[in-house]
Amino acid sequence: MIDSTSMIKVKDLVRKYGEVTAVDSVSFEIAPGEIVGLLGHNGAGKTTLMRILTSYLPATSGEVLIGGKDVRENSLAVRRKIGYLPETPPLYPDMNVRDFLAYAARLKDAPAADVDRVLAECDLADAADKVIGTLSKGFKQRVGIAQAILNDPELLILDEPTSGLDPVQVRQVRKLITNLKEKRTVLLSTHVLSEIEHMAQRVLIIKAGKIIADESLNTLLTGAEGEQEIVIRMNGDGDDAVRKIRDLRLPGVETIEVRKLQQSLESVFIKLNE
Amino acid sequence: MNKIIAIAKKELAAFFKSPTAAIVLVVTISAFNVFFYLIIGERKEASLHEVFKVMEFFFIFIIPVLTMGVFSEEKRSGTMEFLMTTPTTNTEIVIGKFLGSLGFFSVLMGITLVYYPILEFFGSPDRLAMLSGYVGLWLEGALFIAIGLLASSLTQSQLIAAIVSYAILFTLYFSTVFTKSLSGSSEDLLAALTTASHSQNFAVGLITPVDLTYYLAGIVACIFLARVHIENRALE
Ligand SMILES: Nc1ncnc2c1ncn2[C@@H]1O[C@H](COP(=O)(O)OP(=O)(O)OP(=O)(O)O)[C@@H](O)[C@H]1O
Ligand SMILES: [Mg+2]
């Protein structure tokens, strides 16, 4: 990858809090249009890394370029490219949703009409005139996402966008992110891998401040080694079919069993709520 | 400039939604009215000179309460991270917030303007002294607000911010008391720094470049320091 084409370029990034090294010699690059998940346990350094990328926190050492621009030297230009959802949604409890978004739009040089667009995209139209302090957690999170996508930023940095959301809303966020216009780069953090399934194409795993894996989601989920399964879907009773397959004595096959199709809890929940 | 106005407007609107600010406004105006009535009624003199003194004294207590949350609350609630990652410069943020608080203070001062027609009705006040008195009081309030903002930028706690700004204002206001125990150049220095020696002139109709410079330089210095401080806070 050539420098100038990377949306994010991080090189030997270190961030210390006193004795604690929260980010430890991290290097990676993200190309425009990529959707990347940043996965790590609590305290792994996700938030710290994102704060450095958004120019909120300075690094102890190392280099960060956003769209080819240094986050420290060109902080304003960098901030103009980024839509950022901090870990705690940044909300003023006394303001109503529309006023807050209008305020955010002015600070971000976004056209006033953008407020209505993000209200619609985040399914907030009905809550537009509600006071933020009275919203449920999930709605607050949506307001946080709405302010992040104001002005249609080239790069979205979302710190745990799905935390506090119910499964239906998690799907909506997923849809929102995958529906973003082409060439929008997204970096989102989570500590639950399944939450970024279907969203991220690539996953960076961070542990104690170090990147320990940088792979495509597919590779990560299938793993390099291990068992493989052949799945055959059938209608009705499968016993007869199983007997016949068993009789074939296929090489390498260890067990053959009939299982009822399991639905994921998530999809059951969603069906019940429809 | 747009962003400064946006921030100032938002701050001003927040004051009008804040119960604390509403209480401060009502209590202060009521107290001013009582003093106005007492002073004017007793002295039978169409001048706000004494009333201004009372107001000035009140500012030491109310301005720390008005400004305590301006930065500390944003830090505590995490909105500072939002504010500082938008393409807004720290200077715009600090000036916007200063103007928002000054706006609310101006509303408070504006309400007391009704004293003027009352005095005109009952006597013939010195108009120039009244005008310059208001200018001086307003500048003094602006300086106090800048100090309060600086204190608020130092901490996440509204209480600490209020105490720090109260301590600074108190010292600034009452330091003339100590000048008596000093002599020579240190006395002059202290006298030049204390607000009392500057507000006096305004109250009697004198607007001097020295006094103007005192207030403006104080305001600019505090705003500058608050700016430096919110910048460095991110470095913690
Ligand atoms: N302001 C701070 N001062 C001191 N240490 C900090 C500070 N912020 C974070 N840390 C430390 O840095 C490390 C990384 O924290 P960080 O918040 O980046 O983790 P995270 O991956 O976002 O965790 P979580 O999943 O809980 O949000 C932790 O050990 C944390 O204690
Ligand atoms: Mg975090």
Side-chain angles (χ1 to χ4, degrees):
Chain A
M1 236 176 275
I2 310 158
D3 289 358
S4 58
T5 66
S6 295
M7 190 66 229
I8 303 180
K9 181 171 196 268
V10 175
K11 200 156 175 281
D12 302 324
L13 187 67
V14 176
R15 168 69 208 200
K16 292 184 177 157
Y17 293 108
E19 294 290 290
V20 182
T21 307
V23 173
D24 195 355
S25 345
V26 163
S27 303
F28 62 89
E29 287 185 38
I30 294 176
E34 267 192 296
I35 298 180
V36 179
L38 181 65
L39 186 69
H41 289 306
N42 291 134
K46 304 181 292 293
T47 299
T48 305
L49 176 59
M50 290 182 148
R51 283 182 170 164
I52 297 171
L53 297 183
T54 54
S55 87
Y56 180 64
L57 268 185
T60 305
S61 65
E63 190 186 26
V64 179
L65 301 179
I66 303 289
K69 296 204 160 81
D70 188 282
V71 282
R72 276 285 117 188
E73 279 153 30
N74 260 314
S75 150
L76 277 186
V78 165
R79 285 186 247 165
R80 227 166 252 128
K81 291 178 195 286
I82 298 179
Y84 176 41
L85 171 71
E87 187 165 36
T88 9
L91 307 167
Y92 299 93
D94 291 337
M95 284 178 114
N96 77 31
V97 174
R98 184 188 298 278
D99 288 347
F100 167 67
L101 291 174
Y103 176 55
R106 290 184 70 180
L107 295 183
K108 292 175 167 207
D109 305 309
D114 224 23
V115 171
D116 288 314
R117 175 185 67 90
V118 299
L119 279 171
E121 277 192 37
C122 298
D123 234 330
L124 279 166
D126 294 337
D129 297 315
K130 289 196 179 148
V131 176
I132 291 174
T134 65
L135 294 178
S136 71
K137 188 170 179 196
F139 269 84
K140 285 182 183 152
Q141 188 76 2
R142 286 199 230 171
V143 177
I145 295 172
Q147 66 73 31
I149 61 174
L150 275 170
N151 214 19
D152 207 2
E154 286 170 63
L155 171 62
L156 267 181
I157 295 186
L158 310 172
D159 200 350
E160 304 197 23
T162 49
S163 91
L165 300 186
D166 64 48
V168 181
Q169 293 171 338
V170 171
R171 288 211 170 173
Q172 283 174 351
V173 170
R174 226 177 252 169
K175 221 175 87 196
L176 194 93
I177 290 169
T178 41
N179 280 355
L180 286 171
K181 280 196 208 129
E182 249 181 89
K183 282 292 167 194
R184 292 289 168 268
T185 316
V186 183
L187 178 65
L188 54 120
S189 78
T190 173
H191 44 257
V192 190
L193 179 61
S194 63
E195 281 192 350
I196 54 174
E197 245 184 292
H198 317 299
M199 252 198 293
Q201 303 134 357
R202 179 179 155 203
V203 179
L204 293 170
I205 301 184
I206 184 168
K207 186 182 172 189
K210 286 198 166 76
I211 299 282
I212 54 167
D214 177 356
E215 318 212 43
S216 83
L217 195 65
N218 258 338
T219 324
L220 204 72
L221 289 180
T222 44
E225 292 159 44
E227 300 172 284
Q228 288 183 319
E229 277 182 344
I230 301 172
V231 178
I232 301 171
R233 275 202 193 152
M234 293 178 291
N235 278 323
D237 193 358
D239 288 351
D240 193 37
V242 168
R243 222 169 292 124
K244 283 188 176 146
I245 296 172
R246 213 171 260 147
D247 290 341
L248 290 176
R249 301 194 182 282
L250 295 170
V253 173
E254 284 176 7
T255 54
I256 296 173
E257 54 182 332
V258 182
R259 255 194 238 161
K260 269 209 151 166
L261 205 56
Q262 289 244 334
Q263 307 192 67
S264 76
L265 267 180
E266 187 184 309
S267 56
V268 173
F269 181 90
I270 288 169
K271 259 187 207 151
L272 288 175
N273 273 290
E274 263 164 10
Chain B
M1 197 59 207
N2 263 335
K3 294 184 185 177
I4 293 179
I5 294 169
I7 294 172
K9 268 192 183 166
K10 186 226 143 228
E11 288 293 310
L12 188 58
F15 276 117
F16 284 107
K17 284 182 198 155
S18 142
T20 320
I23 292 170
V24 166
L25 189 70
V26 171
V27 170
T28 310
I29 293 296
S30 313
F32 285 178
N33 289 346
V34 169
F35 280 105
F36 175 73
Y37 179 76
L38 288 179
I39 293 172
I40 304 299
E42 186 182 319
R43 301 198 153 211
K44 309 263 184 258
E45 166 190 349
S47 150
L48 285 180
H49 195 147
E50 296 300 315
V51 179
F52 283 155
K53 275 192 187 158
V54 172
M55 289 181 174
E56 196 182 347
F57 183 70
F58 254 78
F59 292 163
I60 300 177
F61 300 94
I62 61 166
I63 287 180
V65 176
L66 290 180
T67 55
M68 63 186 181
V70 170
F71 285 109
S72 55
E73 188 54 22
E74 295 236 23
K75 287 185 182 182
R76 199 194 52 77
S77 69
T79 46
M80 202 65 178
E81 191 170 351
F82 156 75
L83 203 54
M84 294 193 66
T85 51
T86 62
T88 311
T89 63
N90 295 334
T91 310
E92 287 170 326
I93 293 173
V94 180
I95 294 180
K97 288 197 170 266
F98 171 73
L99 293 180
S101 301
L102 188 60
F104 186 75
F105 172 75
S106 305
V107 169
L108 192 154
M109 291 290 291
I111 295 174
T112 72
L113 287 177
V114 299
Y115 298 156
Y116 173 69
I118 296 177
L119 290 187
E120 278 286 359
F121 187 78
F122 289 109
S124 48
D126 179 347
R127 289 177 192 160
L128 187 70
M130 199 165 299
L131 181 68
S132 74
Y134 263 108
V135 171
L137 212 55
W138 189 76
L139 281 173
E140 178 130 316
L143 174 65
F144 286 7
I145 286 168
I147 291 170
L149 240 57
L150 174 59
S152 187
S153 76
L154 300 173
T155 166
Q156 293 199 7
S157 150
Q158 297 204 33
L159 186 65
I160 295 176
I163 292 172
V164 169
S165 52
Y166 172 67
I168 300 175
L169 295 186
F170 194 84
T171 315
L172 207 58
Y173 186 80
F174 286 106
S175 50
T176 28
V177 177
F178 307 118
T179 54
K180 303 202 168 63
S181 56
L182 296 168
S183 60
S185 59
S186 52
E187 184 185 346
D188 295 343
L189 182 69
L190 202 58
L193 283 178
T194 178
T195 57
S197 50
H198 299 280
S199 57
Q200 271 164 10
N201 293 340
F202 286 99
V204 296
L206 279 177
I207 300 182
T208 72
V210 174
D211 297 329
L212 283 178
T213 313
Y214 168 80
Y215 285 116
L216 294 179
I219 291 166
V220 170
C222 289
I223 287 181
F224 177 76
L225 287 176
R227 198 207 86 124
V228 168
H229 205 269
I230 59 166
E231 204 158 76
N232 287 346
R233 193 232 145 237
L235 307 175
E236 274 161 22

